[in-house]
Amino acid sequence: MQRAMTLRSSVLVAALTAGSIVLAATPASSVAGGTAAGTAHAYTAEITVGDHDRGCSGTLVDAEWLLTAASCFAEDPAAGTAVPAGVPRQRTTAVIGRADLTGTQGAERRIVELVPRTDRDVVLARLNRPVTAVTPIALATTAPTAGEELAFAGYGRTQDEWAPLKLHTGTYTVDSADGTTAAVTGKDGAAACAGDSGGPVVRSSGGTATLAALVSRSFQGGCFGTDETVTATGGVAARVDDLTSWVESQTGKARITDFNGDGVEDIAIGDPKATVGGHVAAGLVRIVHGGGKGTAEINQDLDWVPGGAEDGDWFGESLATVDYNEDGYTDLVVGIPAEDVGSEGNAGFVDVLYGGSGGLGTGTQKYTHLEQGVGSGAIAGSASEAGDRMGHSVAAGTTAAGEPWLLIGVPGEALGAVKAAGMAFYVRGGTSVSLHQDKPGVPGGVEADDAFGSSVTGDAHHLAVGVPGEAIGTNKESGAVALFGHTLDAQGMPTVVGGLDQDTESVSGAAEPGDEFGASVAMADYRVSGASQDRASVLVIGSPGEDLTVDGSDRVDAGRAILVRIDASGTWTYLRSLNSGTNDDDVTGTAETGDRFAETVAVVNTAPRQVGSTGTMRIAVGAPGEAIGTVAGAGAVTTFSPFGAAGAADRWLEAGDGDGIPVSPGTGHHLGRSLHFTSTHLYVGMPYGPSAHGALYALPISNVTAGGVIAPVTAYEPGTGGLPANGARFGWAAR
């Protein structure tokens, strides 16, 4: 009777142990007739799942992404290749561009996100940092055809080795192809073995290699550990030649806030005046997990959060997010500027709270505590003093190389005997440096009440620090902004790009007392037309104390914002001014006394890989003092495009106007007191209404885009949606 042959997933038996790797030190020479790869196929990755529990191969198709086999991450590949989106269940690492694993060339990375296909054995795997030393391979554009020969590569078993240390290759002949797979047979006895899953199957034409498929399943004839009676070298490859648009759409997405790593966007909402354990205004942060996965409360009475709840701490007054420990879970940066440190009132500190599979605080690493006089670098060399307000503002992100950074404002810091001159801490790579106006090249002079660091922002390329108390000439509290780049100078400080104020020649307007230029700042990187990468930045600077003359009448504290572009060279260019309109322009609304337009600002690039355009980038400007009819301080928000005239693509948002904020304007509700953009929503805070608790509204991007369709809005309010019915400034901050 003829013995049936089983076509097996080649990852099924790719079990690795530390011991087996040591024992298999002999260089790989063949896979049932294959050959060592040498320097070819540098885009191939060796993937290790868990503590050497499983091994497979992958293919670099983007600086930050691999394509590999979904079966590599499946619980039981024999039962199916379905894997959940999000952070891999086990720690997973990848080595890219290292044909000999005993060497040091190429790059080592951690896989931090999976985006699976549901129709074939394929998954996109995001790396914690981009790979710059290896060129990704482009996807083929036509399907494999019968009789065609394709090269394949992988780090799987060979004919005589369990865990070889060299990349090896072989040749497939295509037997047939259907919509998602290709049947293949190894040429000259070559076969894909356990551990080769996800490796590239490559077409070469005219000296150019393109990725046609991935190794998926194999009979594994001749592979180490396979029954000697099995000699078949056939297999199945998962086609990828038709996945270019899918790959580009996934790799081009902006990152989301995802504290529990399930691939669904979460939101953190600050309520710094909330009572915790009987302590008034101790403050808390509420987490709403996407996908209906519940809510969580974060406060200082939790045993894994530093400090303890006390009256007036205002925990969560400022928030930022970043994957600080690069494990795939979003981490929350919490500023507690009113925290007393010892006997020093309002000295403040900052905590980075780490995400995990169950949300914040559920992983092995719980937090990183940042407090003056503790830790390393400039933060350790400073001392907590009364009124420093460390964490009054916080920003976080990654550099173009993928390295996480923090920027922490300390606007009350005294420099020598100069009170409240202010400074900021730049934290990166396990240490920190201070930024202030007594540093070489930093614009402005050290003066009392400058409040350097009142606002901070940054992106992958640049940083901005607001100095709203800066006196320009004799104009007190006129304000200024200092600009930096992430490249470090000889002193280890971010390179000074420059500075600007309203007396800077190219900036419209003039420095006047009380303008508060720089009270708010927001930045997003983008790609300019003709450039290959996103090395430019759009900076929005708010000046809420600006007085405007409208129709011959002086409107005190009407407020305005300006736009600045910072190029890759560090050159900045003034673009235009944004403010509520007059009776004879096309900007919606009218500038009025007390509007405080631009007290808050936000900007987003929804498609960071594309050339920046009206369709991909939006600016939001809050005017929390705006009167709606006779309702004083109701608040409003206006959205703009960074491109074209201010009124060409603006949109006005107020409570009850049909754009989705489902309440009527209320006196002193101050809609727009906080703003936060994601690639899908604009989050608008109303911490003084509609109830005593406050509220936050998530408006889809279409709702805040001129001509966009009005889609349903998500309202977050204590007492609804699983949120406890308590709080005092819910929506003060959101990330």
Side-chain angles (χ1 to χ4, degrees), residues 412-437:
E413 178 74 20
L415 297 181
V418 183
K419 294 182 178 180
M423 72 174 180
F425 290 118
Y426 177 72
V427 186
R428 176 176 149 198
T431 190
S432 59
V433 297
S434 60
L435 308 176
H436 54 71
Q437 292 177 303

Side-chain angles (χ1 to χ4, degrees), residues 642-726:
F643 309 100
D650 66 329
R651 188 157 193 170
W652 174 273
L653 307 168
E654 66 180 57
D657 70 347
D659 292 323
I661 300 173
V663 294
S664 299
T667 301
H669 283 181
H670 301 300
L671 179 73
R673 174 57 187 77
S674 70
L675 296 172
H676 172 57
F677 259 126
T678 70
S679 61
T680 58
H681 290 86
L682 171 64
Y683 290 86
V684 181
M686 192 163 68
Y688 296 90
S691 70
H693 305 310
L696 180 77
Y697 302 100
L699 283 68
I701 289 292
S702 61
N703 293 37
V704 302
T705 303
V709 176
I710 303 303
V713 167
T714 302
Y716 301 96
E717 185 176 350
T720 66
L723 295 167
N726 56 59

Side-chain angles (χ1 to χ4, degrees), residues 74-432:
E75 287 291 318
D76 180 3
T81 61
V83 295
V87 180
R89 292 176 178 174
Q90 298 185 74
R91 179 184 175 91
T92 305
T93 57
V95 176
I96 306 101
R98 188 174 298 172
D100 184 342
L101 296 176
T102 64
T104 59
Q105 72 271 28
E108 299 180 17
R109 294 292 187 265
R110 181 169 179 176
I111 292 176
V112 294
E113 181 184 3
L114 302 177
V115 182
R117 290 285 300 191
T118 58
D119 61 343
R120 66 194 78 180
D121 185 18
V122 170
V123 66
L124 267 168
R126 181 167 65 87
L127 306 173
N128 65 309
R129 296 190 186 186
V131 174
T132 57
V134 179
T135 301
I137 185 172
L139 271 62
T141 57
T142 57
T145 58
E148 182 181 12
E149 291 190 353
L150 302 173
F152 70 94
Y155 289 90
R157 298 177 190 174
T158 65
Q159 191 174 37
D160 50 15
E161 290 181 286
W162 179 275
L165 297 176
K166 283 191 175 181
L167 177 68
H168 47 261
T169 65
T171 301
Y172 275 145
T173 298
V174 178
D175 300 322
S176 62
D178 60 23
T180 58
T181 63
V184 293
T185 299
K187 185 179 179 181
D188 298 327
C193 298
D196 287 330
S197 277
V201 178
V202 176
R203 172 185 292 136
S204 294
S205 177
T208 299
T210 55
L211 185 67
L214 301 177
V215 174
S216 179
R217 290 172 286 158
S218 172
F219 286 117
Q220 301 186 58
C223 297
F224 187 93
T226 300
D227 191 312
E228 292 182 358
T229 62
V230 178
T231 59
T233 61
V236 172
R239 283 181 52 192
V240 298
D241 58 276
D242 59 336
L243 298 184
T244 296
S245 60
W246 175 72
V247 169
E248 290 178 348
S249 69
Q250 298 299 323
T251 60
K253 285 183 178 179
R255 300 283 177 266
I256 64 171
T257 294
D258 188 5
F259 300 120
N260 58 359
D262 64 354
V264 183
E265 186 169 278
D266 305 324
I267 185 69
I269 308 166
D271 188 341
K273 200 178 178 184
T275 298
V276 176
H279 297 287
V280 177
L284 56 80
V285 177
R286 299 206 181 277
I287 309 299
V288 181
H289 292 116
K293 294 187 178 179
T295 65
E297 178 179 322
I298 311 298
N299 64 61
Q300 289 182 296
D301 271 355
L302 297 175
D303 58 8
W304 61 272
V305 178
E310 301 166 316
D311 290 349
D313 278 350
W314 276 63
F315 177 88
E317 184 174 347
S318 61
L319 301 173
T321 54
V322 66
D323 183 5
Y324 195 60
N325 60 353
E326 300 182 76
D327 64 353
Y329 301 101
T330 303
D331 308 316
L332 182 66
V333 185
V334 183
I336 314 104
E339 179 79 26
D340 296 348
V341 179
S343 61
E344 305 296 333
N346 295 335
F349 56 62
V350 171
D351 289 315
V352 182
L353 307 179
Y354 291 103
S357 59
L360 294 174
T362 64
T364 302
Q365 189 174 13
K366 304 297 184 183
Y367 64 85
T368 292
H369 182 64
L370 301 166
E371 176 186 326
Q372 294 184 84
V374 178
S376 63
I379 292 178
S382 301
S384 293
E385 300 166 320
D388 279 352
R389 288 190 58 80
M390 178 181 177
H392 177 90
S393 58
V394 291
T398 57
T399 66
E403 186 176 6
W405 58 264
L406 307 177
L407 189 58
I408 301 169
V410 195
E413 178 74 20
L415 297 181
V418 183
K419 294 182 178 180
M423 72 174 180
F425 290 118
Y426 177 72
V427 186
R428 176 176 149 198
T431 190
S432 59

